[in-house]
PDB file of all heavy atoms in Angstrom:
ATOM      1  N   ARG B 101      11.502  25.477  14.109  1.00 85.00           N
ATOM      2  CA  ARG B 101      10.698  25.133  13.058  1.00 85.00           C
ATOM      3  C   ARG B 101      10.256  23.619  13.120  1.00 85.00           C
ATOM      4  O   ARG B 101       9.276  23.140  12.519  1.00 85.00           O
ATOM      5  CB  ARG B 101      11.320  25.388  11.668  1.00 85.00           C
ATOM      6  CG  ARG B 101      11.135  26.781  11.304  1.00 85.00           C
ATOM      7  CD  ARG B 101      12.303  27.202  10.154  1.00 85.00           C
ATOM      8  NE  ARG B 101      13.536  26.863  10.537  1.00 85.00           N
ATOM      9  CZ  ARG B 101      14.538  26.863   9.765  1.00 85.00           C
ATOM     10  NH1 ARG B 101      14.444  27.293   8.573  1.00 85.00           N
ATOM     11  NH2 ARG B 101      15.657  26.583  10.182  1.00 85.00           N
ATOM     12  N   GLU B 373      -7.798   3.572  19.552  1.00 89.00           N
ATOM     13  CA  GLU B 373      -8.873   2.660  19.476  1.00 89.00           C
ATOM     14  C   GLU B 373     -10.222   3.410  19.632  1.00 89.00           C
ATOM     15  O   GLU B 373     -11.283   2.733  19.681  1.00 89.00           O
ATOM     16  CB  GLU B 373      -8.737   1.612  20.584  1.00 89.00           C
ATOM     17  CG  GLU B 373      -7.396   0.923  20.546  1.00 89.00           C
ATOM     18  CD  GLU B 373      -7.290  -0.197  21.593  1.00 89.00           C
ATOM     19  OE1 GLU B 373      -7.696   0.071  22.705  1.00 89.00           O
ATOM     20  OE2 GLU B 373      -6.902  -1.366  21.171  1.00 89.00           O
ATOM     21  N   GLY B 378     -10.615  11.490  11.401  1.00 89.00           N
ATOM     22  CA  GLY B 378     -10.999  12.332  10.190  1.00 89.00           C
ATOM     23  C   GLY B 378     -12.510  12.707  10.216  1.00 89.00           C
ATOM     24  O   GLY B 378     -12.826  13.551   9.383  1.00 89.00           O
ATOM     25  N   VAL B 399     -29.478   7.848   6.580  1.00 85.00           N
ATOM     26  CA  VAL B 399     -29.249   8.608   7.758  1.00 85.00           C
ATOM     27  C   VAL B 399     -30.187   9.676   7.928  1.00 85.00           C
ATOM     28  O   VAL B 399     -30.466  10.489   7.003  1.00 85.00           O
ATOM     29  CB  VAL B 399     -27.798   9.164   7.773  1.00 85.00           C
ATOM     30  CG1 VAL B 399     -27.611   9.906   9.017  1.00 85.00           C
ATOM     31  CG2 VAL B 399     -26.741   8.083   7.719  1.00 85.00           C
TER      32      VAL B 399
ATOM     33  N   ARG Z  11       0.259  23.093  10.477  1.00 39.00           N
ATOM     34  CA  ARG Z  11       0.336  24.614  10.533  1.00 39.00           C
ATOM     35  C   ARG Z  11      -0.704  25.248   9.673  1.00 39.00           C
ATOM     36  O   ARG Z  11      -1.254  24.733   8.782  1.00 39.00           O
ATOM     37  CB  ARG Z  11       1.624  24.969  10.038  1.00 39.00           C
ATOM     38  CG  ARG Z  11       2.690  24.604  10.994  1.00 39.00           C
ATOM     39  CD  ARG Z  11       4.125  24.820  10.414  1.00 39.00           C
ATOM     40  NE  ARG Z  11       5.019  24.227  11.413  1.00 39.00           N
ATOM     41  CZ  ARG Z  11       6.254  23.840  11.110  1.00 39.00           C
ATOM     42  NH1 ARG Z  11       6.551  23.707   9.875  1.00 39.00           N
ATOM     43  NH2 ARG Z  11       6.923  23.279  12.048  1.00 39.00           N
ATOM     44  N   ARG Z 189     -25.172   9.606   2.380  1.00 91.00           N
ATOM     45  CA  ARG Z 189     -26.364   9.706   3.049  1.00 91.00           C
ATOM     46  C   ARG Z 189     -26.745   8.443   3.786  1.00 91.00           C
ATOM     47  O   ARG Z 189     -27.759   8.344   4.497  1.00 91.00           O
ATOM     48  CB  ARG Z 189     -27.518   9.874   2.056  1.00 91.00           C
ATOM     49  CG  ARG Z 189     -27.555  11.227   1.456  1.00 91.00           C
ATOM     50  CD  ARG Z 189     -28.430  12.267   2.169  1.00 91.00           C
ATOM     51  NE  ARG Z 189     -28.237  13.439   1.705  1.00 91.00           N
ATOM     52  CZ  ARG Z 189     -27.368  14.418   2.156  1.00 91.00           C
ATOM     53  NH1 ARG Z 189     -26.551  14.004   3.130  1.00 91.00           N
ATOM     54  NH2 ARG Z 189     -27.250  15.678   1.827  1.00 91.00           N
ATOM     55  N   ASP Z 201     -10.768   5.031   8.213  1.00 93.00           N
ATOM     56  CA  ASP Z 201      -9.971   6.085   9.028  1.00 93.00           C
ATOM     57  C   ASP Z 201      -9.408   5.422  10.249  1.00 93.00           C
ATOM     58  O   ASP Z 201      -8.115   5.669  10.459  1.00 93.00           O
ATOM     59  CB  ASP Z 201     -11.005   7.202   9.489  1.00 93.00           C
ATOM     60  CG  ASP Z 201     -10.269   8.499   9.760  1.00 93.00           C
ATOM     61  OD1 ASP Z 201      -9.047   8.438   9.823  1.00 93.00           O
ATOM     62  OD2 ASP Z 201     -10.992   9.463   9.947  1.00 93.00           O
ATOM     63  N   ARG Z 204      -9.472   0.012  14.069  1.00 91.00           N
ATOM     64  CA  ARG Z 204      -9.448  -0.560  15.346  1.00 91.00           C
ATOM     65  C   ARG Z 204     -10.702   0.087  16.164  1.00 91.00           C
ATOM     66  O   ARG Z 204     -11.509  -0.519  16.820  1.00 91.00           O
ATOM     67  CB  ARG Z 204      -8.260  -0.492  16.055  1.00 91.00           C
ATOM     68  CG  ARG Z 204      -7.230  -1.520  15.909  1.00 91.00           C
ATOM     69  CD  ARG Z 204      -5.941  -1.209  16.437  1.00 91.00           C
ATOM     70  NE  ARG Z 204      -5.794  -1.512  17.830  1.00 91.00           N
ATOM     71  CZ  ARG Z 204      -4.731  -1.157  18.565  1.00 91.00           C
ATOM     72  NH1 ARG Z 204      -3.651  -0.376  17.982  1.00 91.00           N
ATOM     73  NH2 ARG Z 204      -4.678  -1.436  19.801  1.00 91.00           N
ATOM     74  N   ARG Z 207     -13.968  -1.065  15.001  1.00 92.00           N
ATOM     75  CA  ARG Z 207     -14.388  -2.442  15.416  1.00 92.00           C
ATOM     76  C   ARG Z 207     -14.751  -2.349  16.880  1.00 92.00           C
ATOM     77  O   ARG Z 207     -15.823  -2.820  17.293  1.00 92.00           O
ATOM     78  CB  ARG Z 207     -13.200  -3.274  15.443  1.00 92.00           C
ATOM     79  CG  ARG Z 207     -13.336  -4.783  15.488  1.00 92.00           C
ATOM     80  CD  ARG Z 207     -12.056  -5.476  15.143  1.00 92.00           C
ATOM     81  NE  ARG Z 207     -11.628  -6.084  16.432  1.00 92.00           N
ATOM     82  CZ  ARG Z 207     -11.964  -7.359  16.858  1.00 92.00           C
ATOM     83  NH1 ARG Z 207     -12.866  -8.029  16.060  1.00 92.00           N
ATOM     84  NH2 ARG Z 207     -11.523  -7.823  17.889  1.00 92.00           N
TER      85      ARG Z 207
END
Side-chain angles (χ1 to χ4, degrees):
Chain B
R101 276 166 307 174
E373 309 188 311
V399 177
Chain Z
R11 289 171 187 152
R189 291 267 171 275
D201 204 350
R204 278 170 81 186
R207 199 171 109 86

